[in-house]
Amino acid sequence: MFRGAVPLIDEMKPIKTILSLFAVALTVSAMAQSNEMKVRMNKVGAEIQPTMYGIFIEDINFAADGGLYAELVKNRSFEFPNNPLQGWNVGGRLEVLADGPFERNPHYVRLYYPGHPHKHTGIENNGFFGIGLKQGEQYRFSVWARIPDGDAAGRLSVELINTASMDEGQAHSTAQITVGSKEWKQYEVVMTSAVTDSEATLRIFLDSPVTVDIEHVSLFPVDTWNGHKNGLRKDLAQALYDLKPGLFRFPGGCIVEGTDLETRYNWKNTVGPVENRPLNENRWQHTFRHRYYPDYFQSYGLGFYEYFLLSEEIGAEPLPIISCGLACQFQNDTPDAHVPVCELDSYIQDALDLIEFANGDVNSEWGKLRAEMGHPAPFNLKFIGIGNEQWGPEYPERLEPFIKAIRAKYPEIKIVGSSGPNSEGDQFDYLWPEMKKLGADLVDEHFYRPESWFLAQGARYDNYDRKGPKVFAGEYACHGAGKKWNHFEASLLEAAFMTTIERNADIVHMATYAPLFAHVEGWQWRPDLIWFDNLRSMKSCSWYVQKLYTQYKGTNVLTLTDMSGANVTGAEGQNGLFASSVYDSVTNQVYVKIINTSDEIQPVKVSFDGLKKNEALKGVAAVSYHSDDLDADNTLDEPEKIVPKTSDLNFEGKVLEVNVAPKTFMVYVLQK
Ligand code: AHR
């Protein structure tokens, strides 16, 4: 019998021995009185929006460069500002020049003959915490190159090396490139890795006495998500697809705002040929001194076109967020850090142009670029967020002109505003009415909060204003007090909290856990939904909680209460139980979610009221999510240590009686 749901009395058939009957009787008598709930079956409630459970990506924790974006070379364009050779080891004779073929990435490296036949000019890149290679897999090396003198051809040797190897040679995979043109050209070669190595190095030797210039040096796995050339890391994109998110919010987060305006995320710099997308500082390079990564930049190889495409491919509505002219307010407290309201025109134009880029006709300026990049059909953008985590009067006064301009040109686009960085308090209380006044369609709320907060928020949305904007729970995660790492109990409390999201689907239209990804060697912020190293990835317990909500999303809310008519929100007297229920009109099934956050087994009796006399529900499955070790999570070594378990639900009738194990998330699937 599965842990978590122990059928009682009438579904407990067959009970084979008197002994087991006695044991069950004992257990029941030792337990608290049954928790009675009822689900109203004769009226389906609010529609659950397709966008309800989504994902939120930000290039934090090396989520994009070094993560989802499968480029294996760091500083491929020699543009890191303090040192164009940062990330590279160099030897022999070479120099960095700045009149290259890509005006927005002008630097390149000139490799000279070292002046002696027994010397070498070579350059090595260690990637992001090493380069991850898998034995037998193909990797596409490419480089823009020329022979500046234009006489005899130059030659490059490309090697994948293992510097820790005890073999005579460190190179296990090699290729040669002949550079025969005075003009800049891209050269490409596919190499097969002879070994699996999570921390390999790419080495390039100049192999001729002829000078060769190199620029935009790149190495990608050939096997990427959906086979897109030089695209996304397959396992990480697959983990997003597997979640079946209904919404994809990008590109952040604070990087939208930038530490200063100059380094804000500028979407226009992220489209067009990758070679000419200018490098941007990553704001997370600076945010935490205790986890400082001076080599954290945004190549923008994963830009807005790629984000839109990924949204489409994982079946999620895109939700781009753009700067409202406020630099990060945590990091700037002087007004001159921000764009004055009267100078917002170019920012507003960026918003309008973005909508044109996503949806515009192929003959429009930005629609044309989208088509040239490979997607003539519109991306069918429906939502846009203006500003990330803004607060104070400086936000509404900037948001207002954006709303006016977008409404005038694109009245069908829904606009997401912000309620600031806190889940309650002065800023929050100030901004919600402001958002209502301005007519924002949705308001983004953020809460990274401890266990006590999550336990107390089971009824959060039950009494929200139904006449105002809809809610977007845009960033949330349970940050355990003194336990700020991913662990099962935190995910259990997220599951408990999500019952208030589900129950209030008439007003909550979107919710995204945050952040999404973290590299085990390069994180700045945790917990996160998915962790990875250079070769492997794992889905956290929080991922599985999200998955249970997307899998059993349903189409409409069903009213579930206790017998006094109160929602089951972990309130006093409800024994740490949180519950909600939905109906799925496609499968004609009912999903009942019950989260037992207490330390005791909780007997639960759910009556399905309002069924016709001869109608009954039939058990299909009981899905249980539990870990005996509440502080544990999945790991890269054991990625499926804690996963939901599905069992048959042996039940037919109008009253389901179950025992919900302590610290367990249950989903009961019933056929109507
Ligand atoms: O998700 C990490 C950060 O948390 C986001 O960038 C920001 O919006 C919030 O403060």
Side-chain angles (χ1 to χ4, degrees), residues 56 58 60 249 253-254 284 330 388-389 446 448 475 514-515 525:
F56 155 83
E58 171 164 27
I60 182 174
R249 172 183 167 198
C254 292
W284 294 101
F330 284 114
N388 171 44
E389 210 170 56
H446 294 181
Y448 299 102
E475 289 184 34
W525 180 296

Side-chain angles (χ1 to χ4, degrees), residues 35-88:
N35 299 277
E36 296 195 25
M37 304 177 190
K38 55 183 175 181
V39 177
R40 188 166 162 195
M41 293 297 298
N42 52 359
K43 187 167 180 265
V44 291
E47 191 190 330
I48 295 158
Q49 297 299 310
T51 52
M52 180 65 121
Y53 305 113
I55 50 175
F56 155 83
I57 192 168
E58 171 164 27
D59 195 359
I60 182 174
N61 306 319
F62 288 85
D65 284 290
L68 182 60
Y69 185 50
E71 173 64 86
L72 296 167
V73 176
K74 186 171 67 192
N75 193 11
R76 64 185 175 186
S77 293
F78 309 105
E79 294 298 332
F80 282 15
N82 295 329
N83 170 8
L85 289 175
Q86 195 169 5
W88 295 89

Side-chain angles (χ1 to χ4, degrees), residues 390-412:
Q390 323 301 165
W391 65 78
E394 46 275 60
Y395 176 52
E397 66 188 13
R398 282 171 178 75
L399 180 60
E400 189 173 14
F402 276 89
I403 294 188
K404 280 197 180 135
I406 295 170
R407 294 273 187 253
K409 193 154 185 205
Y410 299 106
E412 71 285 5

Side-chain angles (χ1 to χ4, degrees), residues 71 311 663:
E71 173 64 86
S311 305
K663 306 285 188 198

